[in-house]
Amino acid sequence: MTTLTREPARPAPAGPARNHWIPRLGGPVWLVWRQHRAAFWTLIGVTLIGVAVMVYLRGQMMDYLATQAPTSRRPGGLPPEFETYVDPLFSIGSYLSYIPILAGVLLGAPLIAGDLETGTAKLVTSQSVSRVRWLIVKLAVPAAMLALSTGVLTAVLTWWWHPVKGLSSGLIWTAFFSVTGVVPVAYALLTFTVGVAVGLLLRRTLVSMVVTLGIVVAIGFLWSELWRSLGHVMSVSTDKGVGPGAVRPELPTEAEQLGQGTYFLTSSGGRLDWTTCLDQIEDDRAHTACLESKHVIGWSIDYLPVSQMQTMQLLGAGIMLALAAGVATFVILWGRKRLL
């Protein structure tokens, strides 16, 4: 009687243990990261350096404020040397205002235009990956990186500016409206998607970058002209006359004055332009008589209070994100049929 024996299985060679909890990129996500890894790592590096610089400069500013009397922490109450701490804050805020331009021109415009020029788009979509999936991943990965980087930078800038806002003329809220809060992230995503759309339509990297630059500059101009209209305009007025000794109305702290300046207020509640009776200003009696004939009783000024800043930022960001979503949808629908 024989006994059949089976040779025991050999144990698998020992190797480095895998960390299954570490996420691994694969498929189109890995391809997009691989294609643009230089830009992504640059974005990460710039973000880390920017955060480190702002944290250091904020620490210097707060150390200086700690040496000042609490009663001096009011608009105009700090010594002139405080401006040496204000200048870096204002400068870095100005630098961050270029993020939307860079996002559209350097990241958005070449994203698909470069693949169309080199033939990468044709190669990828000839595989098992559909055009729609490739376009979605192509948009989502850079957009996520851009939103994260911009959000971190602007959050640190907001943290730096918040304790000292309004303490200097260079720290008024209108100067930091577009570089703090949620606005910069939405703004960058809008210009990024616009750049992608331009690249998809023009299919040439350099031409797309130039055209995108012009469009982004135009968007910036429109935004600078229109963002104040997101707020609810308020007015402050007087009714004690406008003659010698009459006191003009005072705006609330940190309020942003709107319009041409001070208006004349009439007894009926109407307002007249400040140039009213200006041709008779050299003759006090004639000027006074002219204003009295128009029933002027005081002055009126329009303004936006600082308390509306956050609401205005949320509204502006919502509009930009809606536009960005619309442009991204256009890119996907257009590219699904006309990508190659």
Side-chain angles (χ1 to χ4, degrees):
M1 186 176 196
T2 60
T3 303
L4 299 178
T5 60
R6 179 179 298 177
E7 183 180 356
R10 295 182 179 179
R18 281 192 174 185
N19 293 322
H20 296 285
W21 55 271
I22 298 179
R24 294 178 180 274
L25 300 180
V29 176
W30 176 87
L31 178 60
V32 172
W33 175 270
R34 183 76 176 173
Q35 280 184 296
H36 306 286
R37 63 188 182 278
F40 294 155
W41 282 116
T42 300
L43 198 60
I44 293 172
V46 170
T47 301
L48 294 176
I49 293 173
V51 168
V53 170
M54 287 190 284
V55 169
Y56 173 75
L57 292 175
R58 184 187 186 274
Q60 287 188 322
M61 174 181 282
M62 298 309 294
D63 288 343
Y64 173 80
L65 289 177
T67 64
Q68 304 299 310
T71 55
S72 65
R73 298 182 189 180
R74 63 181 186 278
L78 291 169
E81 57 264 24
F82 177 65
E83 295 300 322
T84 60
Y85 298 93
V86 171
D87 292 342
L89 175 55
F90 185 80
S91 298
I92 291 180
S94 300
Y95 297 151
L96 293 185
S97 67
Y98 290 103
I99 289 179
I101 298 177
L102 299 177
V105 176
L106 299 183
L107 188 59
L111 191 71
I112 294 179
D115 286 351
L116 293 173
E117 276 190 319
T118 60
T120 303
K122 185 175 182 180
L123 176 63
V124 172
T125 54
S126 65
Q127 307 299 317
S128 60
V129 179
S130 67
R131 294 182 183 182
V132 172
R133 183 185 176 192
W134 182 72
L135 286 170
I136 291 175
V137 175
K138 193 75 172 177
L139 284 169
V141 175
M145 292 294 298
L146 180 63
L148 179 62
S149 177
T150 305
V152 169
L153 288 172
T154 54
V156 176
L157 181 70
T158 304
W159 174 63
W160 181 8
W161 168 70
H162 193 269
V164 295
K165 63 179 181 180
L167 296 184
S168 168
S169 59
L171 298 175
I172 56 176
W173 66 277
T174 52
F176 288 83
F177 182 85
S178 296
V179 293
T180 58
V182 296
V183 170
V185 176
Y187 198 170
L189 290 176
L190 173 60
T191 56
F192 165 73
T193 54
V194 167
V196 174
V198 171
L200 178 64
L201 295 175
L202 299 183
R203 310 172 74 88
R204 294 292 182 270
T205 302
L206 185 58
V207 176
S208 300
M209 293 172 71
V210 173
V211 173
T212 299
L213 176 61
I215 296 175
V216 171
V217 169
I219 292 174
F221 175 77
L222 290 175
W223 173 249
S224 65
E225 294 295 316
L226 298 177
W227 69 262
R228 289 174 175 81
S229 63
L230 299 173
H232 174 65
V233 179
M234 305 184 72
S235 300
V236 59
S237 59
T238 62
D239 58 359
K240 305 299 183 182
V242 296
V247 178
R248 293 175 180 264
E250 293 186 3
L251 294 177
T253 303
E254 300 184 58
E256 163 79 353
Q257 182 172 324
L258 301 178
Q260 305 174 29
T262 306
Y263 296 90
F264 288 121
L265 181 68
T266 65
S267 57
S268 62
R271 299 197 304 182
L272 302 175
D273 191 82
W274 66 273
T275 58
T276 302
C277 302
L278 188 62
D279 56 339
Q280 303 180 40
I281 196 169
E282 295 183 359
D283 187 339
D284 291 340
R285 291 186 177 180
H287 185 248
T288 301
C290 177
L291 293 177
E292 289 178 351
S293 67
K294 299 181 182 296
H295 308 287
V296 172
I297 60 172
W299 286 290
S300 179
I301 302 177
D302 290 338
Y303 69 94
L304 287 174
V306 67
S307 59
Q308 294 188 22
M309 178 180 179
Q310 187 174 9
T311 302
M312 293 169 63
Q313 286 181 321
L314 291 173
L315 180 58
I319 294 173
M320 289 184 182
L321 289 175
L323 292 174
V327 176
T329 302
F330 164 78
V331 168
I332 294 171
L333 295 178
W334 180 276
R336 183 180 61 177
K337 296 182 179 179
R338 299 180 176 87
L339 181 62
L340 303 178

